[in-house]
Amino acid sequence: MTNQDMMGPAQGGPARAAEPVFSPDAHRLDLGRLGAITLVVGIVLTGPLGWACGYAVVTDPDPVAKAIAGFFGLLFGGLCVLFIANFWRVTRPRGVVVDAAGIWFWHGASWDLVRWTQAARVGLSYEMPPELPTIGGPVAHLKAKVSGWLKDRLYGALRITDKRGIALEIVPMREGELLELPRLKRYRTKDPAPLPGLPPVRLRVGLPGGYHSFADLIEAGERFGGHAWEGWFRRRWTGGAGRGARETV
């Protein structure tokens, strides 16, 4: 959908049914569409693998092969069922728009706005797993470097990143302003305050791990965010998948 399609009054605070009018260069990130793409890819990958493993269980005479195929059949089949079961929840209409006014959130026909003047820090936060030490002398170090180089080439070809838990993150100037936006409660999390004087509560919107998902978003943040836009910044490692000290509030 183009910005010319977005009609309605651009006002802050609680959302209205009509879409606001955004800045000409606003960037729209459709999270429902991205979720649909992710789930479709997951279903396409796990469904045939689960079927193939099930077929091997039925046709292979080797009991060891049956056991291995059965294990992976349950794994891939379970993942496929999980993807299908969560399809409507993940793909529901929702997303964000970044423009001169701030960060707009939409859920169906509802809109909420966090203005740039309400944000102390906005950017793309991520976690990185701790690096394990390399043991075994020069040969092991050389193998580690080659492995790292191959991983970088592979990630570049697939347009993915080894950053974990990537999210659009908004740290507010004042915690009370987030409480005035009850529809955004699903995104509120509690972490240690990034700077003295800032609240420990922030909005964190999870994003998929593809490079192509971020370039336009970063460009829009740099164009509109001013001093509030920080770009990429690293969160402390919580063990992946949002586990650890993070608390939903």
Side-chain angles (χ1 to χ4, degrees):
M1 181 176 293
T2 64
N3 292 323
Q4 287 75 16
D5 298 325
M6 304 176 185
M7 302 300 295
Q11 302 291 337
R16 294 161 176 78
E19 288 190 356
V21 173
F22 303 113
S23 306
D25 296 331
H27 175 63
R28 181 175 183 131
L29 182 62
D30 191 330
L31 297 174
R33 180 175 176 272
L34 291 175
I37 293 172
T38 301
L39 289 183
V40 167
V41 171
I43 292 169
V44 169
L45 290 176
T46 58
L49 287 173
W51 180 88
C53 291
Y55 183 79
V57 170
V58 174
T59 60
D60 198 312
D62 186 348
V64 176
K66 282 181 179 287
I68 295 174
F71 171 80
F72 284 104
L74 290 174
L75 174 63
F76 293 128
L79 288 173
C80 186
V81 170
L82 184 64
F83 288 142
I84 295 172
N86 285 278
F87 193 87
W88 295 116
R89 181 183 66 82
V90 173
T91 60
R92 65 190 184 277
R94 61 193 178 95
V96 297
V97 176
V98 182
D99 82 339
I103 310 291
W104 296 86
F105 293 77
W106 95 79
H107 300 89
S110 300
W111 290 87
D112 293 280
L113 171 63
V114 178
R115 295 188 176 278
W116 292 114
T117 54
Q118 296 175 303
R121 181 172 78 169
V122 183
L124 296 177
S125 66
Y126 65 94
E127 298 177 9
M128 289 290 287
E131 294 185 0
L132 298 177
T134 302
I135 303 174
V139 174
H141 282 280
L142 178 60
K143 290 172 63 178
K145 287 184 176 295
V146 172
S147 175
W149 182 86
L150 290 174
K151 183 185 73 172
D152 290 343
R153 302 288 79 73
L154 177 63
Y155 280 10
L158 296 177
R159 303 177 75 184
I160 60 176
T161 174
D162 55 356
K163 294 181 174 65
R164 306 287 181 85
I166 300 172
L168 174 65
E169 186 164 310
I170 303 173
V171 179
M173 289 286 192
R174 291 168 290 277
E175 182 175 346
E177 293 178 343
L178 293 186
L179 301 178
E180 297 172 0
L181 302 170
R183 281 189 291 261
L184 302 187
K185 184 177 181 180
R186 72 191 73 188
Y187 302 122
R188 290 205 297 262
T189 63
K190 180 172 287 187
D191 275 346
L195 294 171
L198 293 180
V201 175
R202 72 280 320 277
L203 299 177
R204 186 174 293 158
V205 184
L207 301 175
Y211 285 129
H212 59 289
S213 302
F214 307 128
D216 293 339
L217 180 59
I218 291 174
E219 182 180 343
E222 293 173 345
R223 181 164 58 247
F224 298 121
H227 71 279
W229 180 257
E230 189 165 333
W232 289 104
F233 60 92
R234 184 172 176 175
R235 302 192 305 268
R236 62 196 180 97
W237 174 246
T238 61
R243 298 188 298 272
R246 181 174 139 189
E247 174 187 353
T248 302
V249 295

